[in-house]
Each structure stands twice: as C-alpha cells, then as structure tokens.
Amino acid sequence: MKLAVLGATGWIGGTITQEAMSRGHEVIAVVRDASKVSQDINVRTLDITQMSAQDIATAFADVDVVIASVSGRAAQNHEVVAQTAAQLLQHLPQAGVPRLLWVGGAGSLEVAPGVTLVSTPEFPEEYKAEAIAQGEALAVFRSTDSAAKWTYVSPAAIIFPGESEAPYRLGGDEFFTDAQGQSRVSVVDYAKAMLDEAESAKHINQRISVAY
C-alpha cells in the first residue's frame, strides 16, 4: 500500500511514519519543510495554510491512503485544523485518493450522553483550544458529502512517549478508561492502531477511539 503521512515531522506523525515503514508500506512524508526530514524517505512539500486543489493533487498523487496529523499549536492557528480537514475531503477524491485517516483528539469523546470531555471542569486549560479545534474537524467529517472514505481516530486522554505497553482497545464516541480508571495509550500503540485501520478499513466514515 502507498501511504502519505501529512505532518510526518511531528511527534505523532513521525511515529506513524515509522510504523508504516516497518510494515513494508511505501511511505511518502508530506511536510511544509523538507529539510526537517532526516530519514531516507520520499518527501513532498505542502503548506496547509495556503494550499490549492492543485497543491493537494500534487502532494498526494498516486496515493492509496492519506494519514493526516495536523495541529495548529506551533503557530497558534487552531482554525487551520478544521480548514485542512474540509479541503482534504473536498480535493482528495478529485486527486484520485480514496481514503483519509485523521489523527483526532480526545476532547470530543463523550463522558456522558451529549457531554464531551473538553467541556468538563477538569479538562486542562492549556489543551482546550486544540481540543475544540479537533472537535470542529470531527464536525466537518460528520457533515461532509465527500466521496473520500474517512476514519477519525481519537487517542486516549493521555498519549505518552514510549513503546507498546499492552494490547490497545478500540471504542467509538464514548470515553473509556482502563481498570485503574485511566485513559492512556503510548504513541507507538496509537500508531499501530492507525496502521491496523489503514490496512483493514474496518471503520469507514466513523470516529474510533484508542486506549488501553
């Protein structure tokens, strides 16, 4: 399978890239600054803050699956998250790309019917803007009429550096925890879940969540 990882120089995007390569897939790193890619990999450039339909077609030509890891944190431009989702959903089918997998957030998971994690008093203030932006991206996916087959993959509330710790579990919209009442997953296990979904295509046009 030919995969393109948008945001391949980021922490999560880089881990997903490594996992995809370890499985023998042909991987393209799609990044704004090609000089930041240190590994031996095919690189294409794309600036998500000012991309056109042609830019998207060029960056993702001949790709089977796009995995997008987008954050507005560095530039404090959180609007770019939902905007990027909308543009990819609109233009990827025209470029011949059938599938889009999205690195989502945990904030939009429901702790009770209609009550999201980000809306609870305990949610850390420093992550709220990013969580809200990812919730807006999820709304874009759920309202789209795009021909692209998408999957929005929410990590646990805590995604941490490190290797595999335990078999991950998949959920849907409902926030869930382990036996200790914690919502956590390593970035490596999150990447494994993402690649498992890329390979199996079991959850088309759905949001899934990943935690121990």
Side-chain angles (χ1 to χ4, degrees), residues 118-142:
V118 70
S119 69
T120 61
E122 299 82 13
F123 196 89
E125 187 67 32
E126 62 266 31
Y127 298 119
K128 271 192 176 180
E130 188 172 355
I132 291 169
Q134 283 289 358
E136 292 169 348
L138 178 60
V140 168
F141 280 102
R142 287 181 163 163

PDB file of all heavy atoms in Angstrom, residues 118-142:
ATOM      1  N   VAL A 118     -13.940  17.703  26.757  1.00  0.00           N
ATOM      2  CA  VAL A 118     -13.380  19.055  26.792  1.00  0.00           C
ATOM      3  C   VAL A 118     -14.275  20.033  27.555  1.00  0.00           C
ATOM      4  O   VAL A 118     -13.810  21.068  28.044  1.00  0.00           O
ATOM      5  CB  VAL A 118     -13.111  19.571  25.366  1.00  0.00           C
ATOM      6  CG1 VAL A 118     -14.417  19.859  24.622  1.00  0.00           C
ATOM      7  CG2 VAL A 118     -12.231  20.811  25.384  1.00  0.00           C
ATOM      8  N   SER A 119     -15.551  19.701  27.686  1.00  0.00           N
ATOM      9  CA  SER A 119     -16.483  20.604  28.377  1.00  0.00           C
ATOM     10  C   SER A 119     -16.490  20.400  29.893  1.00  0.00           C
ATOM     11  O   SER A 119     -17.143  21.167  30.606  1.00  0.00           O
ATOM     12  CB  SER A 119     -17.901  20.412  27.832  1.00  0.00           C
ATOM     13  OG  SER A 119     -18.431  19.148  28.211  1.00  0.00           O
ATOM     14  N   THR A 120     -15.762  19.404  30.390  1.00  0.00           N
ATOM     15  CA  THR A 120     -15.755  19.141  31.825  1.00  0.00           C
ATOM     16  C   THR A 120     -14.803  20.091  32.537  1.00  0.00           C
ATOM     17  O   THR A 120     -13.806  20.537  31.957  1.00  0.00           O
ATOM     18  CB  THR A 120     -15.340  17.691  32.125  1.00  0.00           C
ATOM     19  OG1 THR A 120     -14.004  17.469  31.634  1.00  0.00           O
ATOM     20  CG2 THR A 120     -16.294  16.704  31.440  1.00  0.00           C
ATOM     21  N   PRO A 121     -15.063  20.418  33.804  1.00  0.00           N
ATOM     22  CA  PRO A 121     -14.206  21.355  34.547  1.00  0.00           C
ATOM     23  C   PRO A 121     -12.766  20.874  34.699  1.00  0.00           C
ATOM     24  O   PRO A 121     -11.850  21.692  34.845  1.00  0.00           O
ATOM     25  CB  PRO A 121     -14.893  21.447  35.916  1.00  0.00           C
ATOM     26  CG  PRO A 121     -16.296  21.002  35.689  1.00  0.00           C
ATOM     27  CD  PRO A 121     -16.236  20.002  34.589  1.00  0.00           C
ATOM     28  N   GLU A 122     -12.561  19.570  34.668  1.00  0.00           N
ATOM     29  CA  GLU A 122     -11.228  19.026  34.889  1.00  0.00           C
ATOM     30  C   GLU A 122     -10.327  19.106  33.662  1.00  0.00           C
ATOM     31  O   GLU A 122      -9.122  18.873  33.766  1.00  0.00           O
ATOM     32  CB  GLU A 122     -11.331  17.555  35.321  1.00  0.00           C
ATOM     33  CG  GLU A 122     -12.090  17.318  36.610  1.00  0.00           C
ATOM     34  CD  GLU A 122     -13.596  17.299  36.416  1.00  0.00           C
ATOM     35  OE1 GLU A 122     -14.043  17.229  35.240  1.00  0.00           O
ATOM     36  OE2 GLU A 122     -14.323  17.365  37.421  1.00  0.00           O
ATOM     37  N   PHE A 123     -10.896  19.431  32.514  1.00  0.00           N
ATOM     38  CA  PHE A 123     -10.083  19.410  31.302  1.00  0.00           C
ATOM     39  C   PHE A 123      -9.033  20.522  31.374  1.00  0.00           C
ATOM     40  O   PHE A 123      -9.361  21.673  31.646  1.00  0.00           O
ATOM     41  CB  PHE A 123     -10.945  19.598  30.054  1.00  0.00           C
ATOM     42  CG  PHE A 123     -10.245  19.216  28.774  1.00  0.00           C
ATOM     43  CD1 PHE A 123     -10.305  17.918  28.299  1.00  0.00           C
ATOM     44  CD2 PHE A 123      -9.506  20.149  28.058  1.00  0.00           C
ATOM     45  CE1 PHE A 123      -9.655  17.549  27.133  1.00  0.00           C
ATOM     46  CE2 PHE A 123      -8.848  19.796  26.892  1.00  0.00           C
ATOM     47  CZ  PHE A 123      -8.923  18.484  26.433  1.00  0.00           C
ATOM     48  N   PRO A 124      -7.748  20.185  31.109  1.00  0.00           N
ATOM     49  CA  PRO A 124      -6.680  21.189  31.236  1.00  0.00           C
ATOM     50  C   PRO A 124      -6.867  22.377  30.289  1.00  0.00           C
ATOM     51  O   PRO A 124      -7.078  22.209  29.091  1.00  0.00           O
ATOM     52  CB  PRO A 124      -5.411  20.399  30.870  1.00  0.00           C
ATOM     53  CG  PRO A 124      -5.772  18.964  31.077  1.00  0.00           C
ATOM     54  CD  PRO A 124      -7.225  18.860  30.750  1.00  0.00           C
ATOM     55  N   GLU A 125      -6.765  23.554  30.839  1.00  0.00           N
ATOM     56  CA  GLU A 125      -6.999  24.776  30.078  1.00  0.00           C
ATOM     57  C   GLU A 125      -6.028  24.905  28.907  1.00  0.00           C
ATOM     58  O   GLU A 125      -6.404  25.379  27.822  1.00  0.00           O
ATOM     59  CB  GLU A 125      -6.858  25.992  30.992  1.00  0.00           C
ATOM     60  CG  GLU A 125      -7.242  27.304  30.352  1.00  0.00           C
ATOM     61  CD  GLU A 125      -8.726  27.401  30.021  1.00  0.00           C
ATOM     62  OE1 GLU A 125      -9.537  26.817  30.755  1.00  0.00           O
ATOM     63  OE2 GLU A 125      -9.050  28.038  28.998  1.00  0.00           O
ATOM     64  N   GLU A 126      -4.768  24.466  29.099  1.00  0.00           N
ATOM     65  CA  GLU A 126      -3.759  24.661  28.062  1.00  0.00           C
ATOM     66  C   GLU A 126      -4.007  23.817  26.812  1.00  0.00           C
ATOM     67  O   GLU A 126      -3.421  24.076  25.753  1.00  0.00           O
ATOM     68  CB  GLU A 126      -2.362  24.370  28.610  1.00  0.00           C
ATOM     69  CG  GLU A 126      -2.140  22.938  29.094  1.00  0.00           C
ATOM     70  CD  GLU A 126      -2.401  22.769  30.584  1.00  0.00           C
ATOM     71  OE1 GLU A 126      -3.263  23.496  31.125  1.00  0.00           O
ATOM     72  OE2 GLU A 126      -1.745  21.917  31.205  1.00  0.00           O
ATOM     73  N   TYR A 127      -4.874  22.818  26.921  1.00  0.00           N
ATOM     74  CA  TYR A 127      -5.165  21.973  25.758  1.00  0.00           C
ATOM     75  C   TYR A 127      -6.542  22.239  25.167  1.00  0.00           C
ATOM     76  O   TYR A 127      -6.934  21.596  24.193  1.00  0.00           O
ATOM     77  CB  TYR A 127      -5.053  20.496  26.138  1.00  0.00           C
ATOM     78  CG  TYR A 127      -3.676  20.081  26.591  1.00  0.00           C
ATOM     79  CD1 TYR A 127      -3.470  19.585  27.876  1.00  0.00           C
ATOM     80  CD2 TYR A 127      -2.582  20.190  25.743  1.00  0.00           C
ATOM     81  CE1 TYR A 127      -2.191  19.212  28.300  1.00  0.00           C
ATOM     82  CE2 TYR A 127      -1.309  19.822  26.161  1.00  0.00           C
ATOM     83  CZ  TYR A 127      -1.131  19.328  27.439  1.00  0.00           C
ATOM     84  OH  TYR A 127       0.122  18.967  27.847  1.00  0.00           O
ATOM     85  N   LYS A 128      -7.277  23.181  25.734  1.00  0.00           N
ATOM     86  CA  LYS A 128      -8.667  23.380  25.315  1.00  0.00           C
ATOM     87  C   LYS A 128      -8.791  23.853  23.868  1.00  0.00           C
ATOM     88  O   LYS A 128      -9.621  23.360  23.116  1.00  0.00           O
ATOM     89  CB  LYS A 128      -9.371  24.368  26.251  1.00  0.00           C
ATOM     90  CG  LYS A 128     -10.009  23.705  27.446  1.00  0.00           C
ATOM     91  CD  LYS A 128     -10.933  24.654  28.182  1.00  0.00           C
ATOM     92  CE  LYS A 128     -11.623  23.913  29.325  1.00  0.00           C
ATOM     93  NZ  LYS A 128     -12.542  24.804  30.065  1.00  0.00           N
ATOM     94  N   ALA A 129      -7.979  24.828  23.481  1.00  0.00           N
ATOM     95  CA  ALA A 129      -8.095  25.372  22.123  1.00  0.00           C
ATOM     96  C   ALA A 129      -7.856  24.288  21.079  1.00  0.00           C
ATOM     97  O   ALA A 129      -8.588  24.188  20.079  1.00  0.00           O
ATOM     98  CB  ALA A 129      -7.120  26.526  21.933  1.00  0.00           C
ATOM     99  N   GLU A 130      -6.846  23.470  21.325  1.00  0.00           N
ATOM    100  CA  GLU A 130      -6.547  22.388  20.381  1.00  0.00           C
ATOM    101  C   GLU A 130      -7.667  21.354  20.361  1.00  0.00           C
ATOM    102  O   GLU A 130      -8.049  20.850  19.303  1.00  0.00           O
ATOM    103  CB  GLU A 130      -5.227  21.730  20.768  1.00  0.00           C
ATOM    104  CG  GLU A 130      -4.722  20.729  19.765  1.00  0.00           C
ATOM    105  CD  GLU A 130      -3.315  20.248  20.081  1.00  0.00           C
ATOM    106  OE1 GLU A 130      -2.699  20.757  21.034  1.00  0.00           O
ATOM    107  OE2 GLU A 130      -2.842  19.353  19.366  1.00  0.00           O
ATOM    108  N   ALA A 131      -8.198  21.038  21.555  1.00  0.00           N
ATOM    109  CA  ALA A 131      -9.280  20.059  21.640  1.00  0.00           C
ATOM    110  C   ALA A 131     -10.532  20.552  20.929  1.00  0.00           C
ATOM    111  O   ALA A 131     -11.220  19.795  20.231  1.00  0.00           O
ATOM    112  CB  ALA A 131      -9.582  19.746  23.097  1.00  0.00           C
ATOM    113  N   ILE A 132     -10.844  21.821  21.110  1.00  0.00           N
ATOM    114  CA  ILE A 132     -12.011  22.405  20.434  1.00  0.00           C
ATOM    115  C   ILE A 132     -11.819  22.377  18.921  1.00  0.00           C
ATOM    116  O   ILE A 132     -12.745  22.062  18.165  1.00  0.00           O
ATOM    117  CB  ILE A 132     -12.260  23.831  20.947  1.00  0.00           C
ATOM    118  CG1 ILE A 132     -12.751  23.779  22.409  1.00  0.00           C
ATOM    119  CG2 ILE A 132     -13.268  24.561  20.074  1.00  0.00           C
ATOM    120  CD1 ILE A 132     -12.775  25.119  23.098  1.00  0.00           C
ATOM    121  N   ALA A 133     -10.602  22.690  18.472  1.00  0.00           N
ATOM    122  CA  ALA A 133     -10.307  22.665  17.038  1.00  0.00           C
ATOM    123  C   ALA A 133     -10.488  21.265  16.463  1.00  0.00           C
ATOM    124  O   ALA A 133     -11.034  21.094  15.361  1.00  0.00           O
ATOM    125  CB  ALA A 133      -8.891  23.165  16.782  1.00  0.00           C
ATOM    126  N   GLN A 134     -10.051  20.249  17.197  1.00  0.00           N
ATOM    127  CA  GLN A 134     -10.226  18.879  16.720  1.00  0.00           C
ATOM    128  C   GLN A 134     -11.699  18.473  16.727  1.00  0.00           C
ATOM    129  O   GLN A 134     -12.144  17.696  15.873  1.00  0.00           O
ATOM    130  CB  GLN A 134      -9.408  17.912  17.577  1.00  0.00           C
ATOM    131  CG  GLN A 134      -7.922  17.921  17.269  1.00  0.00           C
ATOM    132  CD  GLN A 134      -7.595  17.284  15.924  1.00  0.00           C
ATOM    133  OE1 GLN A 134      -8.461  16.803  15.219  1.00  0.00           O
ATOM    134  NE2 GLN A 134      -6.321  17.289  15.569  1.00  0.00           N
ATOM    135  N   GLY A 135     -12.461  18.998  17.678  1.00  0.00           N
ATOM    136  CA  GLY A 135     -13.900  18.756  17.673  1.00  0.00           C
ATOM    137  C   GLY A 135     -14.569  19.383  16.459  1.00  0.00           C
ATOM    138  O   GLY A 135     -15.496  18.802  15.870  1.00  0.00           O
ATOM    139  N   GLU A 136     -14.085  20.562  16.074  1.00  0.00           N
ATOM    140  CA  GLU A 136     -14.601  21.211  14.865  1.00  0.00           C
ATOM    141  C   GLU A 136     -14.260  20.386  13.624  1.00  0.00           C
ATOM    142  O   GLU A 136     -15.064  20.283  12.693  1.00  0.00           O
ATOM    143  CB  GLU A 136     -14.037  22.625  14.762  1.00  0.00           C
ATOM    144  CG  GLU A 136     -14.567  23.563  15.845  1.00  0.00           C
ATOM    145  CD  GLU A 136     -13.821  24.879  15.924  1.00  0.00           C
ATOM    146  OE1 GLU A 136     -12.738  24.987  15.282  1.00  0.00           O
ATOM    147  OE2 GLU A 136     -14.294  25.791  16.616  1.00  0.00           O
ATOM    148  N   ALA A 137     -13.066  19.803  13.617  1.00  0.00           N
ATOM    149  CA  ALA A 137     -12.689  18.930  12.489  1.00  0.00           C
ATOM    150  C   ALA A 137     -13.594  17.707  12.427  1.00  0.00           C
ATOM    151  O   ALA A 137     -14.025  17.292  11.345  1.00  0.00           O
ATOM    152  CB  ALA A 137     -11.227  18.510  12.612  1.00  0.00           C
ATOM    153  N   LEU A 138     -13.904  17.128  13.574  1.00  0.00           N
ATOM    154  CA  LEU A 138     -14.808  15.976  13.606  1.00  0.00           C
ATOM    155  C   LEU A 138     -16.174  16.356  13.029  1.00  0.00           C
ATOM    156  O   LEU A 138     -16.771  15.581  12.272  1.00  0.00           O
ATOM    157  CB  LEU A 138     -14.960  15.465  15.040  1.00  0.00           C
ATOM    158  CG  LEU A 138     -15.928  14.289  15.236  1.00  0.00           C
ATOM    159  CD1 LEU A 138     -15.506  13.068  14.428  1.00  0.00           C
ATOM    160  CD2 LEU A 138     -16.035  13.935  16.725  1.00  0.00           C
ATOM    161  N   ALA A 139     -16.652  17.550  13.362  1.00  0.00           N
ATOM    162  CA  ALA A 139     -17.928  18.012  12.807  1.00  0.00           C
ATOM    163  C   ALA A 139     -17.854  18.129  11.290  1.00  0.00           C
ATOM    164  O   ALA A 139     -18.835  17.842  10.585  1.00  0.00           O
ATOM    165  CB  ALA A 139     -18.302  19.347  13.434  1.00  0.00           C
ATOM    166  N   VAL A 140     -16.706  18.559  10.775  1.00  0.00           N
ATOM    167  CA  VAL A 140     -16.518  18.633   9.325  1.00  0.00           C
ATOM    168  C   VAL A 140     -16.647  17.250   8.700  1.00  0.00           C
ATOM    169  O   VAL A 140     -17.336  17.061   7.687  1.00  0.00           O
ATOM    170  CB  VAL A 140     -15.143  19.258   8.984  1.00  0.00           C
ATOM    171  CG1 VAL A 140     -14.815  19.072   7.502  1.00  0.00           C
ATOM    172  CG2 VAL A 140     -15.125  20.737   9.348  1.00  0.00           C
ATOM    173  N   PHE A 141     -16.002  16.272   9.305  1.00  0.00           N
ATOM    174  CA  PHE A 141     -16.089  14.907   8.780  1.00  0.00           C
ATOM    175  C   PHE A 141     -17.529  14.409   8.795  1.00  0.00           C
ATOM    176  O   PHE A 141     -18.006  13.807   7.828  1.00  0.00           O
ATOM    177  CB  PHE A 141     -15.195  13.964   9.595  1.00  0.00           C
ATOM    178  CG  PHE A 141     -13.746  14.038   9.227  1.00  0.00           C
ATOM    179  CD1 PHE A 141     -12.847  14.744  10.010  1.00  0.00           C
ATOM    180  CD2 PHE A 141     -13.257  13.404   8.101  1.00  0.00           C
ATOM    181  CE1 PHE A 141     -11.507  14.827   9.677  1.00  0.00           C
ATOM    182  CE2 PHE A 141     -11.921  13.475   7.745  1.00  0.00           C
ATOM    183  CZ  PHE A 141     -11.042  14.191   8.535  1.00  0.00           C
ATOM    184  N   ARG A 142     -18.226  14.649   9.885  1.00  0.00           N
ATOM    185  CA  ARG A 142     -19.573  14.097  10.034  1.00  0.00           C
ATOM    186  C   ARG A 142     -20.602  14.777   9.136  1.00  0.00           C
ATOM    187  O   ARG A 142     -21.667  14.202   8.891  1.00  0.00           O
ATOM    188  CB  ARG A 142     -19.992  14.178  11.500  1.00  0.00           C
ATOM    189  CG  ARG A 142     -19.255  13.148  12.335  1.00  0.00           C
ATOM    190  CD  ARG A 142     -19.667  13.177  13.772  1.00  0.00           C
ATOM    191  NE  ARG A 142     -19.264  11.939  14.450  1.00  0.00           N
ATOM    192  CZ  ARG A 142     -19.197  11.784  15.750  1.00  0.00           C
ATOM    193  NH1 ARG A 142     -19.498  12.796  16.562  1.00  0.00           N
ATOM    194  NH2 ARG A 142     -18.833  10.632  16.269  1.00  0.00           N
TER     195      ARG A 142
END
